Amino acid sequence: MQRLIGTSEEDDEEEMDMDVKEEDDDEEENGEKHGRRQVMVGVDVCTAPSSSNNNQFQHQQEIQEQAGTPGGGGVRRSRPLEEKERTKLRERHRRAITARILAGLRRHGNYNLRVRADINDVIAALAREAGWVVLPDGTTFPSRSQVHNCQEIAIADVPPKLPERDFSGTPYVPVYVMLPLGVINLKCELIDPDGLLKQLRVLKSINVDGVMVDCWWGIVEAHTPQDYNWNGYKKLFQMVSELKLKLQVVMSFHECGGNVGDDVCIPLPHWVAEIGRINPHIFFTDREGRRNPECLSWGIDKERVLRGRTALEVYFDYMRSFRVEFDEFFQNGVISMVVVGLGPCGELRYPSCPVKHGWRYPGIGEFQCYDQYLLKNLRKASEARGHSFWARGPDNAGSYNSRPHETGFFCDGGDYNGYYGRFFLNWYSQVLVDHGDRVLSLAKLAFEGTCIGAKLSGFHWWYKTASHAAELTAGFYNPCNRDGYAAIVATLKKNGAVLNFASAELHTLERQEEFSEALADPDGLMWQVMNAAWDVCTPVASENTLPCHDRVGYNKILDNAKPLSDPDRRHFLSFTYLRLGLGLMERENFMEFERFVKRMHGKL
């Protein structure tokens, strides 16, 4: 925990004295009100009409008895002045002690306590120091390492013991946790910093290595070109740094809000949207002419259509601004990796499966090359090949939710493997590789000396067919007779980038069983991609694509992170968990996650 300098003891005592004085004034005011009520009762009694002196005396006696009875409806007697003074002294003494404890812990105990900390913060800090886990809602329980020493604590609903690998002594794989998508709002302000700080402290208490955060282009450069607002991120990074956590930062050049798991809406910059309304060809386009404003088309990488700048220049200016603004965190090593957004969801792929256009799993998706800039590129490539009539997309490739066997292009023996099909798919995938190469080379220049990475997602459905249709529409030319990932990892190797590949967790396997006709093979795809990267010595990192809270899912991730019987003991460079939220912070889920972290660290 970082040391935080607070107010002096005298300031704390002065604040406590002021609080006590306010409470005492309230008590005195209430006492005066009670006294006035008693006088009024006496006046009413004395002036009450009666038929005889005896009846009047009895009536007064009954009222006095009710007034002195706690359960009666009368007025309670005010406390003696001496008792009130003793109460004030006791309260002042108690608060002075609390102030000295807080000041001492801040100065000498190296506890990260805010200036206005209360006794709950002190108890939580001491509990974490003793090895306990304190959740933001106050729920407290022993960490896994403490449970064995606390036999009186019963852990409910412990799942039955399953046969598992022993990961003790295996290589250390750092674990990061992805922050909520909306941790920074559209005004570039940090949302709920106190609540986030509590959650980060909980993560730190179980030795999570760091967090990942998206730096949204649509927030930072929202209104005017090259006018960058990093304010919210400055506060966030400082908070992470003070807790001695690491940062993985994503340069997010895409919009948020149209995909599975998106719980906020963050569009592209307003000035880009204005350009798009005039020139919609800056966005990816399908065969039917539907635009996808999730990210910019790769066809404008070198076209000056963004207020006099090319898309590549816009990306580089943004990355350079970030590097200059956060130089302190690069110099002290807080920022451990910069993941460069290369397409939809920040991944190097075409937006071939947009939910907003009706795609549903396990549809094959559609080719996204029908904006005027990519079509011009295709026309040049076909003319260079000597077949200008090939300057078109396939007309028999089906629609978003087609199956391979329903199309003439992707079916067994289909056009994908003909002369035109091979030409088109080679061009389509080469545009993807070239875009990745250009942007990563600029990132390497902007972030020299810092690890950079690129995200790649696994299109594992239809992997057991000959054409691998879902991969082809996404830009991965990987049919059964060709390695479609060798060129991609070679590009990463060239630019010194890490491959960040989404792993196949339990939810993926459940979907595979539900849609058995999709002929998916997530394990086979992951094995192919990992080996393609490791064969050229490109490091591999990973993250899960859907929330995971159960042991079976974690074990699946562990098996991918540290392959069994690998003679070279190759393993993931790091793993990023998706994502920090209320689900993860539930007691049972969090204890399972703590166990997963220990196993990733090779301690269990």
Side-chain angles (χ1 to χ4, degrees):
M1 297 184 182
Q2 284 288 330
R3 179 176 175 180
L4 182 64
I5 299 177
T7 56
S8 66
E9 294 181 17
E10 292 79 4
D11 293 337
D12 288 335
E13 290 182 16
E14 184 178 348
E15 290 177 8
M16 299 301 179
D17 291 342
M18 292 296 292
D19 293 339
V20 173
K21 186 177 185 304
E22 291 174 2
E23 291 184 3
D24 293 340
D25 291 342
D26 292 339
E27 290 178 359
E28 290 175 1
E29 183 179 350
N30 292 335
E32 291 175 1
K33 290 180 180 178
H34 287 307
R36 285 196 296 268
R37 281 202 199 104
Q38 251 185 329
V39 171
M40 292 302 294
V41 170
V43 170
D44 291 341
V45 170
C46 293
T47 59
S50 62
S51 59
S52 67
N53 292 336
N54 292 335
N55 290 340
Q56 182 177 359
F57 176 78
Q58 291 176 356
H59 185 56
Q60 290 177 351
Q61 191 174 19
E62 289 175 1
I63 293 178
Q64 289 174 356
E65 288 175 354
Q66 289 177 358
T69 304
V75 186
R76 72 174 177 86
R77 187 178 56 186
S78 61
R79 291 181 299 168
L81 182 61
E82 295 80 4
E83 183 179 348
K84 287 170 52 179
E85 289 296 331
R86 286 196 297 271
T87 301
K88 286 199 298 183
L89 289 173
R90 285 196 300 268
E91 183 66 15
R92 184 178 291 112
H93 183 62
R94 183 187 67 80
R95 295 193 180 197
I97 292 175
T98 301
R100 293 190 183 97
I101 292 175
L102 291 173
L105 288 174
R106 282 196 295 268
R107 289 180 180 176
H108 312 298
N110 209 23
Y111 285 92
N112 188 10
L113 294 172
R114 55 192 176 89
V115 175
R116 301 292 181 183
D118 57 21
I119 195 63
N120 291 335
D121 296 313
V122 176
I123 295 173
L126 294 174
R128 293 190 184 103
E129 184 75 11
W132 291 64
V133 176
V134 182
L135 299 184
D137 65 356
T139 302
T140 304
F141 53 89
S143 65
R144 286 274 176 184
S145 59
Q146 297 290 325
V147 168
H148 301 293
N149 299 326
C150 303
Q151 298 179 356
E152 70 277 11
I153 298 178
I155 302 176
D157 301 327
V158 175
K161 186 172 180 62
L162 300 174
E164 294 179 311
R165 282 177 57 188
D166 180 7
F167 286 93
S168 58
T170 57
Y172 184 103
V173 176
V175 177
Y176 290 75
V177 175
M178 199 176 300
L179 295 183
L181 292 170
V183 68
I184 303 291
N185 66 16
L186 293 177
K187 297 180 181 179
C188 203
E189 298 169 336
L190 180 60
I191 298 298
D192 189 17
D194 291 338
L196 178 62
L197 179 59
K198 290 179 181 179
Q199 291 181 327
L200 294 180
R201 284 173 176 165
V202 172
L203 295 180
K204 179 66 176 179
S205 71
I206 62 169
N207 297 316
V208 166
D209 297 271
V211 294
M212 174 182 277
V213 62
D214 291 276
C215 286
W216 296 102
W217 182 31
I219 292 177
V220 175
E221 197 180 358
H223 302 289
T224 307
Q226 295 181 284
D227 182 12
Y228 307 104
N229 177 10
W230 299 103
N231 291 338
Y233 291 103
K234 290 178 183 177
K235 295 178 181 178
L236 173 62
F237 289 13
Q238 187 63 41
M239 180 186 298
V240 173
S241 175
E242 289 176 354
L243 290 174
K244 297 188 182 301
L245 291 168
K246 298 289 187 179
L247 267 170
Q248 291 180 338
V249 182
V250 184
M251 299 285 101
S252 297
F253 296 112
H254 61 284
E255 76 168 11
C256 176
N259 294 291
V260 177
D262 290 352
D263 54 3
V264 296
C265 181
I266 303 174
L268 295 185
H270 301 308
W271 60 273
V272 173
E274 291 175 359
I275 296 173
R277 281 191 285 270
I278 300 172
N279 178 16
H281 288 279
I282 67 173
F283 301 124
F284 282 106
T285 308
D286 64 16
R287 186 176 181 83
E288 299 297 324
R290 288 169 291 197
R291 315 290 181 182
N292 190 335
E294 185 176 352
C295 61
L296 298 178
S297 167
W298 302 334
I300 65 170
D301 276 359
K302 297 182 179 181
E303 300 285 345
R304 295 192 177 278
V305 294
L306 301 175
R307 304 270 179 96
R309 291 187 295 167
T310 67
L312 291 177
E313 290 171 340
V314 168
Y315 301 147
F316 180 70
D317 290 343
Y318 183 87
M319 292 187 288
R320 182 173 55 185
S321 171
F322 176 82
R323 178 61 182 82
V324 172
E325 194 71 36
F326 296 99
D327 178 70
E328 170 192 354
F329 301 99
F330 282 96
Q331 295 294 338
N332 61 21
V334 171
I335 297 178
S336 60
M337 181 189 296
V338 178
V339 180
V340 184
L342 299 172
C345 297
E347 300 165 346
L348 181 58
R349 63 174 176 87
Y350 287 89
S352 58
C353 300
V355 175
K356 66 179 70 175
H357 290 165
W359 173 85
R360 296 295 182 269
Y361 180 89
I364 60 176
E366 290 190 21
F367 293 111
Q368 305 289 316
C369 58
Y370 294 93
D371 63 83
Q372 67 181 24
Y373 301 104
L374 285 180
L375 286 176
K376 182 175 70 173
N377 189 310
L378 176 59
R379 185 164 53 252
K380 288 182 179 180
S382 63
E383 291 173 353
R385 180 70 183 271
H387 303 291
S388 57
F389 56 91
W390 280 355
R392 57 178 175 81
D395 54 10
N396 60 346
S399 59
Y400 285 114
N401 293 311
S402 297
R403 276 38 175 177
H405 61 274
E406 299 171 348
T407 73
F409 192 81
F410 297 114
C411 66
D412 289 349
D415 292 345
Y416 80 91
N417 203 31
Y419 289 111
Y420 160 73
R422 291 198 299 270
F423 159 78
F424 173 79
L425 291 173
N426 186 69
W427 167 82
Y428 190 71
S429 62
Q430 192 60 46
V431 170
L432 176 148
V433 172
D434 290 344
H435 170 74
D437 184 32
R438 288 190 289 260
V439 178
L440 288 175
S441 64
L442 294 176
K444 181 181 179 181
L445 180 62
F447 303 118
E448 184 177 3
T450 301
C451 179
I452 62 174
K455 287 188 179 184
L456 210 65
S457 59
F459 283 68
H460 52 78
W461 53 104
W462 308 116
Y463 187 83
K464 292 182 179 179
T465 63
S467 62
H468 293 217
E471 292 172 88
L472 296 186
T473 59
F476 308 125
Y477 190 9
N478 190 51
C480 62
N481 58 353
R482 187 179 188 276
D483 185 356
Y485 298 97
I488 295 174
V489 297
T491 298
L492 301 185
K493 172 70 174 178
K494 169 187 172 184
N495 293 287
V498 173
L499 171 62
N500 189 338
F501 189 74
S503 66
E505 66 280 348
L506 180 62
H507 295 279
T508 305
L509 301 180
E510 290 175 347
R511 176 174 285 190
Q512 179 184 352
E513 294 177 359
E514 182 181 356
F515 295 94
S516 57
E517 77 278 4
L519 299 175
D521 188 5
D523 288 335
L525 175 60
M526 169 156 273
W527 189 245
Q528 178 187 356
V529 174
M530 286 168 51
N531 279 281
W534 283 337
D535 285 348
V536 295
C537 299
T538 295
V540 178
S542 186
E543 62 185 52
N544 54 311
T545 56
L546 295 171
C548 176
H549 300 303
D550 57 273
R551 184 168 300 186
V552 177
Y554 285 133
N555 286 344
K556 180 63 182 174
I557 296 172
L558 283 159
D559 287 336
N560 291 332
K562 305 177 183 184
L564 184 64
S565 303
D566 187 333
D568 299 316
R569 299 194 74 193
R570 295 177 296 190
H571 55 84
F572 286 169
L573 179 70
S574 65
F575 178 81
T576 303
Y577 175 84
L578 182 152
R579 116 180 19 251
L580 180 61
L582 296 178
L584 176 61
M585 288 298 168
E586 292 179 7
R587 175 178 175 176
E588 306 302 329
N589 294 342
F590 193 79
M591 294 187 71
E592 200 62 53
F593 179 68
E594 180 190 6
R595 183 178 185 274
F596 167 73
V597 172
K598 288 182 180 294
R599 289 161 70 81
M600 289 293 276
H601 288 172
K603 296 180 179 179
L604 189 64

